[in-house]
Amino acid sequence: MVEEDAAPVVAPSGAVPLLPDPAPATGRRTPRGARFAGAAEDVGEERAESRAVGAGGAERRDVARAVETLARLRKEGRSGEAHALLAEAASWAPVRFPLLAHELERAGLGADWQTLLWEAASLPAGRLVAAADALGAAGRAGDGQQILRQGVARPPGEIGEAVLGLVAAGRDREVRVLLDAYVRARTPEEAARSAEPGPQTLVPLLLEAARGVSDERRWDLVHALRVAGFPA
């Protein structure tokens, strides 16, 4: 999987060769909540990825190899290794997501694309928004909206912490995108509980996002915030 013309080599144990890694290894995957709440992690890397306007030949080759390996694993009934490969691919640069979608669907692996979206939905908030942006720019707005909806299905406190991390990093646009998805997908009561980590910062941001949905949603949130003990 390292050299372009070399065939994948399977270790004696039958383990899957490592996928081409576009970034330095970061070690074992951390729990979903911790990864999502790490909104300010690797800020420079995420901004660089979000500015990418298209994938080059290296990205296309890496994605093609990964899908070829996945198809072989599925054919051989090695579902555990296939899922591990998808989980690793979910941490790739957002610019690769449209390529992954296209190649997986072309190979008849549409169900695996849905699994990859589910895995990617637990990325840190900044990377989550960047992935949704990349999908939307490639004409896959539905997938981008899906990944955001799944991504905000976190405990309210984790959402609040993630937003605070984005605010601290000066990432106002990502804050707006994340909270827009959040107030649309969650109940006013859940949205109100997310203000607990930092009410002075989060209450105005939540109300602004709710106003962007509708006046009714804003007033519902105002009521929920007051019931939760947060002046609104």
Side-chain angles (χ1 to χ4, degrees):
M1 297 295 289
V2 177
E3 296 182 5
E4 180 176 348
D5 296 326
V9 178
V10 179
S13 61
V16 182
L18 291 176
L19 291 177
D21 190 356
T26 56
R28 185 174 299 177
R29 287 164 63 86
T30 53
R32 287 173 180 261
R35 286 194 293 129
F36 183 82
E41 293 177 357
D42 301 325
V43 172
E45 177 186 348
E46 292 167 14
R47 283 177 173 164
E49 290 167 354
S50 66
R51 289 195 298 265
V53 296
E59 285 83 3
R60 294 180 184 280
R61 287 192 295 271
D62 288 348
V63 168
R65 290 177 189 146
V67 173
E68 182 180 353
T69 300
L70 181 65
R72 175 172 57 81
L73 291 173
R74 290 300 188 197
K75 184 177 180 179
E76 296 172 358
R78 297 159 66 179
S79 58
E81 291 166 281
H83 189 273
L85 188 152
L86 288 169
E88 183 178 348
S91 67
W92 278 1
V95 70
R96 297 188 176 204
F97 276 52
L99 290 175
L100 284 162
H102 174 74
E103 291 297 329
L104 286 168
E105 291 175 351
R106 191 167 67 90
L109 299 172
D112 284 316
W113 168 239
Q114 294 301 314
T115 299
L116 193 150
L117 279 178
W118 178 256
E119 286 289 330
S122 61
L123 291 169
R127 292 179 62 86
L128 178 73
V129 173
D133 285 346
L135 289 166
R140 303 187 68 98
D143 287 336
Q145 293 167 4
Q146 178 180 335
I147 201 174
L148 287 171
R149 286 195 304 271
Q150 293 173 172
V152 297
R154 308 287 115 194
E158 289 184 15
I159 295 290
E161 293 288 354
V163 172
L164 289 175
L166 290 172
V167 170
R171 306 179 71 175
D172 296 338
R173 193 190 70 83
E174 286 92 333
V175 167
R176 291 194 299 271
V177 171
L178 189 69
L179 285 181
D180 178 77
Y182 183 56
V183 299
R184 290 177 186 275
R186 307 296 290 270
T187 66
E189 292 73 22
E190 290 169 328
R193 291 199 298 274
S194 70
E196 185 174 352
Q200 289 186 335
T201 299
L202 294 170
V203 167
L205 291 172
L206 286 163
L207 289 173
E208 181 183 355
R211 185 184 298 111
V213 176
S214 68
D215 287 340
E216 181 181 1
R217 180 59 58 90
R218 181 183 181 276
W219 284 114
D220 287 344
L221 180 56
V222 167
H223 176 70
L225 286 164
R226 289 172 177 170
V227 170
F230 304 122

